[in-house]
Amino acid sequence: MKNVLQWNPPEGLTGVEVIYTVQYFIYGEKKWLGKPECKNISRTYCDLSPETSDYEHQYYAKVMAIWKTNCSKWAETGRFYPYLETQIGPPAVALTIDETSMSIVLTAPEKWKRNPEERSISMQQIYPTLKYNVSVYNTKTNRTWLQCVTNHSLVLPWLEPDTLYCIRVQALIPGPPRLSPPSEKQCVTTLKDQTSAMK
Amino acid sequence: LADGVAVLPAPQNLSVHSANMKHLLTWSPVVVPGEIIYYSVEYQGEYEILYLSHLWIPSHWCSSTKGPQCDITDDITATVQYNLRVRATLGSQTSAWSTLEHPFNRNSTILTPPKIKVTKDGFHLVIELEDLGPQFEFYVVYWRNEPGAKEHVQVVKSGGIPVHLETMEPGARYCMKAQTFVKAIERHSAFSQAECIEVQGDAL
Amino acid sequence: RCSPSMDTNPVKESFQGIKGAIQTKDTLKNVTILSNLHSIKPLDMCCVTRELLEFYVERVFKYREKLSLQISRAVSSISNSFLALQRTVQPCKEHNLCPCSEEATDATRNINNNYEELEVQSAVIKSLGELDVFIAWIDKNYHQETSTA
């Protein structure tokens, strides 16, 4: 739910100092609203997360380019519906390992918030059907398999000792599926088989 | 002939063959020696039949096609009745429309048991199911191959990917079978043949 | 309560293909048709769902003259999916499991009033453009029903 408006500079104005002004509109309300932090700016993006934090509404945004004494027409977005269009992030993944099993704990990404003190809202609360695709890669057998998880933890028992396993996890909102990018690949080696180690 | 003008005959013997939610409309070709005949296909769903009966919609892929068949899968997108019609065209000549005798509903599609591939990674039982498209889920039933063994069921949401089924016990033999389920038509296929796999190691 | 299995995926896929084109045609940004759906109580879900399915079937999907072939095809797909959804909800009504409270009746009357305040073609375009709101509302509510049931 971090919603950033981005645009490309007007063509044919390279080397000319161009500034921009952004406005946004809440669908069903009365008028366009400005954002002071995005008035007469030279960067080509504007973070509208605070203005669009109510994800059940829909929004429009528009940008005007100004150079010297000229201004462009407004360039306008389509109707943006955060609830359906936000990109879901990957979960946080914590692995613990012992001789022959691995425990995986998943934490759903959090909704964007204005400041660290604000109460955290998990994306799981917003999308109760959110689930995870856990991909397990056994580097010794060169085999990969998937496990679909609906809660937050998974234990993989009976792994092969002294073997490097790599894990990646994607968050998934069903129908039609919205998939997060995969989490960072994390690899861990199971402990050596203690019985053979004592021989 | 009509008023001395050659009239192109309308296509005949329209029928729909549907399997695993792929729907193919076929008809008998119109033959004019030495000429290439083109066909146009149109459809109307039950909504159009009920509320807009004059409205026919050109098929996605067959508004002008040579073959005496048309993949209408992308036209049949709801589980309701559909009327279908075809006509032939040769140059400026166009035949009358020929309409499918009985409306088609995709809930009549033939659902075949899915192909399954069973593998293991150490003690982990892994299954890969045939990729039949996004409308297909799979019910996988698996059990330990021993008297009185309990059957377990797992829903697999998509095919084409190896999915973990169970962690097996050493020395045990596991069997499994699968059927497809299509939520859009609330129907499932027959089960596939059972396949079994054994795990090395001493039984516990 | 009645919580039929609502397969909305075909509608979402068809709508996704025409969302930009339809919503661009809707130039009345300061007006909405499906207002306050998120204030509907769980008890009223079935009634409002049934009423809105009928609203779209009877007052929106019939008007296709000025639509392009691509949009008309998508609207055909959506309208036929709505017929199927209506049949899914129908048993609830037949078993008197689809009561309409006063609030629910007011909400759907309000939606019809919003529609009637606009010229027909504008009202049709705006209603089509707000299909994503209706479908998201169905998903949220019928998922929470089935997941907690």
Side-chain angles (χ1 to χ4, degrees):
Chain A
M1 303 289 185
K2 180 175 173 66
N3 305 321
V4 178
L5 176 68
Q6 292 176 313
W7 60 88
N8 293 330
E11 284 164 5
L13 287 178
T14 42
V16 175
E17 199 200 334
V18 181
I19 56 175
Y20 306 95
T21 288
V22 170
Q23 291 188 342
Y24 67 95
F25 193 103
I26 303 170
Y27 178 56
E29 295 301 320
K30 294 300 169 222
K31 57 186 169 72
W32 287 91
L33 303 170
K35 174 168 181 155
E37 300 86 341
C38 293
K39 185 178 173 68
N40 299 333
I41 56 173
S42 54
R43 63 179 187 274
T44 57
Y45 63 87
C46 167
D47 187 345
L48 289 172
S49 304
E51 290 75 17
T52 56
S53 64
D54 180 346
Y55 50 81
E56 301 216 295
H57 274 95
Q58 295 115 79
Y59 306 88
Y60 295 85
K62 62 181 182 183
V63 195
M64 173 191 283
I66 303 148
W67 68 99
K68 296 181 186 143
T69 58
N70 310 295
C71 16
S72 72
K73 284 194 290 187
W74 289 102
E76 198 174 297
T77 67
R79 193 181 302 169
F80 174 66
Y81 190 8
Y83 178 72
L84 286 183
E85 296 177 59
T86 196
Q87 163 76 52
I88 182 91
V93 182
L95 304 183
T96 50
I97 194 98
D98 67 25
E99 196 179 301
T100 60
S101 77
M102 179 192 309
S103 133
I104 303 172
V105 175
L106 305 170
T107 308
E110 280 182 9
K111 179 180 185 288
W112 169 87
K113 51 187 183 181
R114 290 163 205 270
N115 52 64
E117 291 71 42
E118 197 177 68
R119 184 174 69 88
S120 294
I121 297 173
S122 164
M123 293 299 272
Q124 181 89 51
Q125 292 168 254
I126 298 170
Y127 302 101
T129 59
L130 187 137
K131 55 184 81 171
Y132 305 99
N133 279 346
V134 178
S135 164
V136 180
Y137 171 53
N138 179 338
T139 58
K140 196 179 277 186
T141 61
N142 194 32
R143 280 225 169 98
T144 301
W145 32 272
L146 201 78
Q147 204 147 345
C148 182
V149 177
T150 49
N151 47 28
H152 289 279
S153 60
L154 171 68
V155 175
L156 301 176
W158 293 95
L159 298 176
E160 290 178 59
D162 194 21
T163 303
L164 181 68
Y165 285 89
C166 294
I167 304 293
R168 281 187 139 179
V169 186
Q170 283 182 288
L172 162 76
I173 301 169
R178 264 189 281 169
L179 267 170
S180 79
S183 62
E184 281 292 317
K185 182 163 81 172
Q186 292 184 55
C187 299
V188 282
T189 304
T190 49
L191 305 184
K192 283 192 165 49
D193 183 350
Q194 296 313 317
T195 49
S196 63
M198 286 187 292
K199 278 180 184 129
Chain B
L1 287 175
D3 305 334
V5 173
V7 176
L8 200 59
Q12 297 302 311
N13 306 319
L14 272 64
S15 75
V16 175
H17 175 73
S18 174
N20 289 335
M21 297 297 269
K22 295 274 185 241
H23 321 304
L24 190 69
L25 174 67
T26 62
W27 58 85
S28 306
V30 171
V31 179
V32 175
E35 297 289 356
I36 296 176
I37 305 293
Y38 288 89
Y39 303 93
S40 323
V41 175
E42 292 185 343
Y43 66 92
Q44 51 177 201
E46 201 162 330
Y47 186 89
E48 286 77 30
I49 296 168
L50 292 171
Y51 294 96
L52 298 166
S53 55
H54 64 283
L55 183 63
W56 288 82
I57 301 163
S59 163
H60 261 85
W61 304 113
C62 314
S63 47
S64 179
T65 180
K66 277 198 260 186
Q69 61 182 40
C70 171
D71 182 343
I72 54 172
T73 304
D74 290 340
D75 303 320
I76 312 294
T77 58
T79 306
V80 293
Q81 304 276 61
Y82 278 83
N83 279 337
L84 292 148
R85 69 181 186 179
V86 189
R87 75 176 170 188
T89 302
L90 170 54
S92 61
Q93 284 184 75
T94 304
S95 78
W97 287 103
S98 188
T99 303
L100 188 67
E101 191 180 347
H102 304 295
F104 169 71
N105 189 318
R106 66 178 183 178
N107 60 14
S108 62
T109 194
I110 297 163
L111 293 178
T112 59
K115 298 185 182 73
I116 68 175
K117 188 171 116 187
V118 181
T119 57
K120 63 185 177 195
D121 185 27
F123 295 110
H124 293 274
L125 185 56
V126 177
I127 190 168
E128 186 169 341
L129 293 135
E130 184 178 2
D131 187 357
L132 292 165
Q135 295 188 319
F136 285 78
E137 293 178 358
F138 304 86
Y139 292 157
V140 180
V141 176
Y142 59 94
W143 61 93
R144 262 177 81 142
N145 193 23
E146 57 191 31
K150 184 171 170 252
E151 282 190 348
H152 303 274
V153 179
Q154 180 165 324
V155 176
V156 176
K157 289 288 187 181
S158 42
I161 315 166
V163 173
H164 183 276
L165 206 52
E166 176 67 278
T167 305
M168 301 183 283
E169 288 178 30
R173 179 175 168 80
Y174 285 79
C175 297
M176 68 213 68
K177 58 184 179 181
Q179 66 180 165
T180 64
F181 176 69
V182 180
K183 184 178 178 184
I185 58 174
E186 299 279 344
R187 276 186 47 218
H188 49 71
S189 72
F191 273 105
S192 64
Q193 287 288 323
E195 289 203 18
C196 301
I197 195 163
E198 198 147 337
V199 188
Q200 275 70 40
D202 311 330
L204 287 183
Chain C
R1 255 199 317 271
C2 201
S3 57
S5 147
M6 305 284 273
D7 181 16
T8 55
N9 281 353
V11 176
K12 282 186 257 183
E13 278 155 20
S14 297
F15 180 78
Q16 202 51 40
I18 59 169
K19 167 186 157 69
I22 280 284
Q23 289 179 346
T24 303
K25 286 176 184 284
D26 178 6
T27 53
L28 306 170
K29 295 184 173 62
N30 57 337
V31 175
T32 66
I33 299 241
L34 303 182
S35 38
N36 306 324
L37 268 189
H38 34 269
S39 61
I40 301 294
K41 295 194 184 66
L43 261 182
D44 290 330
M45 260 170 13
C46 179
C47 166
V48 173
T49 301
R50 194 168 46 78
E51 293 289 328
L52 283 185
L53 288 172
E54 188 171 328
F55 165 76
Y56 272 97
V57 164
E58 298 292 338
R59 310 192 77 174
V60 178
F61 295 140
K62 290 180 184 173
Y63 301 92
R64 306 212 194 139
E65 298 74 26
K66 294 177 182 159
L67 301 178
S68 70
L69 174 57
Q70 186 218 352
I71 293 179
S72 190
R73 265 203 195 111
V75 171
S76 167
S77 173
I78 294 168
S79 57
N80 282 288
S81 294
F82 267 52
L83 278 190
L85 288 173
Q86 276 188 315
R87 286 180 192 141
T88 307
V89 177
Q90 191 58 24
C92 298
K93 184 179 179 193
E94 282 151 13
H95 295 97
N96 295 316
L97 293 170
C98 211
C100 288
S101 72
E102 198 178 324
E103 285 126 320
T105 306
D106 288 346
T108 48
R109 183 184 307 117
N110 191 28
I111 287 167
N112 279 280
N113 291 343
N114 293 341
Y115 177 96
E116 281 145 19
E117 276 165 21
L118 301 175
E119 178 263 329
V120 172
Q121 196 58 29
S122 305
V124 166
I125 291 293
K126 186 169 276 299
S127 304
L128 287 172
E130 293 184 9
L131 272 167
D132 52 0
V133 175
F134 179 38
I135 296 303
W137 179 79
I138 285 181
D139 278 357
K140 248 183 284 178
N141 288 287
Y142 281 96
H143 156 260
Q144 268 138 18
E145 265 298 307
T146 47
S147 74
T148 52

